[in-house]
Amino acid sequence: MKIYLNGQLVDKEKATVSVFDHGLLYGDGVFEGIRAYNGRVFKLVEHIDRLFNSARAILLEISLTKQQIQEAVLETLRVNQLQDAYIRLVVTRGSGDLGLDPRHCTKPTIFIITDKITLYPVEFYRDGLSVITSSVKRNISEALSPAIKSLNYLNNVLAKIEAIRQNAPEAIMLNREGYVAECTGDNIFLFKDNVLITPPTWAGALEGITRNVVMDLTNRKLKLEVREEIFTPYHLYIADEVFLTGTAAEVIPVTKIDGRIIKDGKPGKETLKLMKAFGELTRMTGVPIRRK
Ligand code: PMP
């Protein structure tokens, strides 16, 4: 397996970064998780745009253009002969000294890992997930905006540990005010009376690429109303349908929250329609990996 590292494609064993890299020392960096389906990279432009926005928000200057990053992603997939893959694109502040001062990091570290994907088991999609609400609150925007996809994931990791200890695959995170924000690595949605509702990003959610696609599909394909509104766990408990979205999970139903069964305990009918429509889109669209 070859890894893209600072302009070169190197063997996995040789793909190493310095212990002085501020991505490691301080979580000072940004990243993206991207998927390739059937020889095409899904929403590649949107992912690269978000990477540049995250970088801009932390005053990190990426030394490549968006076009160069796109070509690097495609080239890494080509050398590894991957048609279906999970892609991890990371930019760190680079190697510096032991102080926080980013001025000592002269060059960002850029790497791209392309690998086979480990999916959630099929039962999760068939029966729905049983998730919990975490006691760990989502980072407050005034401290570190959840809109930035940074290498600082400790907040989410702590909530994930809580989920694992309760045998749940995901945890819902609330913001400081007690409103639902998102999950540790997924956005959250509910259907109530045929309206799709998801927390606005200002309530503490990442602007998920999958989230945007699902909102669009609900409008255009399902012809149902979509609202970005704050809500509490109570609104999830009494919802008609609940589901999560993310690049890795795609669209996945939730049938139990904090031990409470949602509606009849089965994946909802609109959720199933969205799963199907999303699946079709991933197979049909995206940036081709093969050179034209
Ligand atoms: N929220 C968080 C905290 C995430 O890390 C992710 C991505 N794994 C998402 C939501 C979903 O975003 P996307 O659909 O862009 O993968």
Side-chain angles (χ1 to χ4, degrees), residues 155-287:
N155 180 223
N156 310 53
V157 170
L158 292 177
K160 181 83 178 182
I161 291 170
E162 201 175 343
I164 293 163
R165 293 174 82 140
Q166 293 182 51
N167 243 328
E170 250 295 13
I172 296 164
M173 301 183 77
L174 310 180
N175 65 18
R176 182 178 45 179
E177 286 78 33
Y179 293 106
V180 173
E182 60 176 344
C183 291
T184 68
D186 298 297
N187 289 111
I188 189 160
F189 290 82
L190 68 83
F191 268 112
K192 185 72 180 171
D193 300 329
N194 283 323
V195 178
L196 182 66
I197 305 173
T198 195
T201 52
W202 57 259
L206 180 76
E207 189 177 340
I209 307 284
T210 322
R211 173 184 183 273
N212 287 348
V213 172
V214 159
M215 287 163 78
D216 182 53
L217 284 173
T218 305
N219 258 320
R220 277 192 310 108
K221 286 239 162 180
L222 273 51
K223 306 259 187 270
L224 294 176
E225 190 188 338
V226 180
R227 282 194 217 142
E228 291 182 67
E229 262 174 20
I230 46 172
F231 55 83
T232 64
Y234 162 79
H235 297 97
L236 289 170
Y237 301 154
I238 63 155
D240 297 328
E241 305 183 20
V242 177
F243 65 88
L244 312 182
T245 64
T247 295
E250 303 178 328
V251 181
I252 191 159
V254 172
T255 45
K256 211 176 188 190
I257 303 173
D258 300 329
R260 294 157 169 89
I261 290 167
I262 306 305
K263 199 77 178 186
D264 61 0
K266 297 202 185 77
K269 89 175 183 316
E270 303 303 335
T271 306
L272 292 172
K273 284 187 208 163
L274 284 172
M275 288 164 72
K276 187 157 171 281
F278 184 78
E280 284 164 8
L281 204 64
T282 57
R283 282 191 299 278
M284 278 163 18
T285 59
V287 179

